[in-house]
Amino acid sequence: MIKSIIRSSEFTNAINNGTPVVALESTVLTHGLPRPQNLQLARDMEKTVREQGATPATIGFLDGRLHIGLETAQLERLANEDDVLKAGPRDFATIAAKKSNGGTTVAGTMLACRHAGIKVFATGGIGGVHRDSNFDISADLQALATIPMIVVCAGAKAILDLPATLEYLETMSVPVVGYGTDEFPAFYSRESGLDVSVRLDEPDEIVRFAKAHWEAGLQSAVLVANPVPETEAISKSEMEPFIDQANREAHEQGIHGKEVTPFLLQRINELTGGKSMHTNLALLLNNARLAAQISKSLHAIETRKLA
Ligand code: PSU
Ligand code: MN
């Protein structure tokens, strides 16, 4: 068990009052989006979750301690301080030892959720297998394979090798649920030409599916792929040249390891003149909304079972 977890008062109240909770990651704030849009987005995601009747818990590290839910000033620190590490699971001990600040990745946030007992989590896009790289596979996939919870995303970033990413998820028995779609969405785009493993159209159905998955004895997550709203989507053909260019530049400049994803996101934002960031913000809010609905449904089903 992690020794010093700090729970926000809002999170503690939610647990005591038995209200549904949605976890939110923080790498997207610390490494995925520029200032000041990052802080604004964090606040908007929390607001979206509350509007749906659930409680948000943004996860992150401050001074080496893991926070489940961040108070206003803490969220500002994480979004604005310069010395914030990108915190995947393998960085937890480093961050504790060095008393650092850290934005938790999808994998890091899932690990924190396991400690905090949170079952539903919203992010933008999961990490995955990178294109043309020597074994660059995101720890997000390993977390999805081993931590039983519901993760809502807009697919995997199209900067990745999507077929390889889906193959990995299949190998690790992670169901990929298309929310209202048969096609795996590609983050900025609604289309990828690739299949999900199952299509479900309602939050209730997703919860019943997840329960059946875990009742079958599996410990893997259920990944819900929620396509970006049509009005904000950028077509695959429009994105592809920018993605190719950004990947090429990363390769030429010798960018590697955990710097790859932040570099690509920032470069694509520049290349699209900010359009991709606008889409990124829209899909994050869309995912927060669905995750809150799923969390409420999960909560209602579990409460009914206890009654
Ligand atoms: N999606 C975004 N922005 C991000 C990320 C995802 O729109 O910044 C982050 C997530 O936190 C994800 C991480 O877990 O990138 C993946 O990094 P890597 O490929 O190094 O595992
Ligand atoms: Mn990587």
Side-chain angles (χ1 to χ4, degrees):
M1 258 314 190
I2 295 177
K3 283 206 195 80
S4 54
I5 293 187
I6 301 175
R7 292 167 174 80
S8 69
S9 49
E10 193 184 8
F11 175 71
T12 305
N13 287 340
I15 296 304
N16 292 341
N17 302 333
T19 45
V21 173
V22 173
L24 302 169
E25 64 145 311
S26 52
T27 294
V28 63
L29 315 179
T30 59
H31 294 76
L33 293 168
R35 296 173 193 150
Q37 287 90 346
N38 61 343
L39 180 59
Q40 189 58 47
L41 180 272
R43 290 179 172 145
D44 290 349
M45 279 186 89
E46 292 194 343
K47 184 161 162 262
T48 303
V49 171
R50 288 189 197 104
E51 280 168 358
Q52 295 293 323
T55 297
T58 303
I59 312 271
F61 281 96
L62 287 171
D63 309 313
R65 297 203 288 182
L66 179 62
H67 286 254
I68 309 296
L70 291 162
E71 315 288 350
T72 309
Q74 295 170 339
L75 196 63
E76 282 171 17
R77 272 190 70 193
L78 204 61
N80 291 324
E81 282 192 16
D82 287 324
D83 55 343
V84 184
L85 303 177
K86 179 173 160 185
R90 82 158 176 183
D91 309 304
F92 275 33
T94 308
I95 288 174
K98 304 218 179 283
K99 303 201 179 346
S100 311
N101 300 325
T104 48
T105 63
V106 168
T109 306
M110 289 179 74
L111 180 57
C113 284
R114 183 151 73 182
H115 286 281
I118 302 175
K119 292 303 253 185
V120 183
F121 161 38
T123 180
I126 58 160
V129 181
H130 280 268
R131 296 187 191 180
D132 310 317
S133 63
N134 290 323
F135 232 80
D136 184 348
I137 301 174
S138 174
D140 292 356
L141 297 185
Q142 204 259 344
L144 287 163
T146 53
I147 302 178
M149 60 185 300
I150 300 174
V151 178
V152 180
C153 68
K157 275 157 286 174
I159 54 177
L160 301 167
D161 182 336
L162 294 183
T165 300
L166 287 175
E167 288 295 345
Y168 186 103
L169 291 171
E170 183 180 348
T171 302
M172 301 314 275
S173 303
V174 178
V176 179
V177 177
Y179 180 61
T181 181
D182 295 301
E183 189 170 356
F184 186 62
F187 198 70
Y188 304 115
S189 318
R190 292 169 63 88
E191 68 276 12
S192 67
L194 300 164
D195 295 334
V196 294
S197 61
V198 58
R199 171 190 177 144
L200 299 172
D201 294 333
E202 299 294 336
D204 273 352
E205 281 184 89
I206 293 172
V207 170
R208 282 196 297 271
F209 176 90
K211 288 189 152 294
H213 179 69
W214 297 321
E215 276 162 15
L218 291 153
Q219 291 295 311
S220 47
V222 170
L223 183 65
V224 178
N226 184 25
V228 61
E230 231 154 305
T231 47
E232 319 286 341
I234 311 178
S235 72
K236 187 166 177 262
S237 55
E238 188 179 342
M239 280 312 293
E240 208 52 35
F242 299 127
I243 291 167
D244 278 346
Q245 183 176 340
N247 267 306
R248 208 165 45 241
E249 288 178 9
H251 203 70
E252 283 160 11
Q253 294 176 34
I255 311 279
H256 66 275
K258 62 205 282 185
E259 275 83 50
V260 174
T261 299
F263 173 88
L264 292 176
L265 287 173
Q266 195 199 326
R267 196 66 192 107
I268 289 169
N269 185 33
E270 287 164 10
L271 292 170
T272 60
K275 192 171 166 188
S276 66
M277 189 180 66
H278 180 80
T279 302
N280 199 341
L281 298 176
L283 66 83
L284 281 159
L285 295 178
N286 194 44
N287 294 345
R289 194 173 310 114
L290 177 59
Q293 291 164 0
I294 291 171
S295 184
K296 274 177 67 183
S297 164
L298 174 65
H299 187 259
I301 288 173
E302 298 210 313
T303 316
R304 226 176 294 142
K305 219 171 62 188
L306 292 176

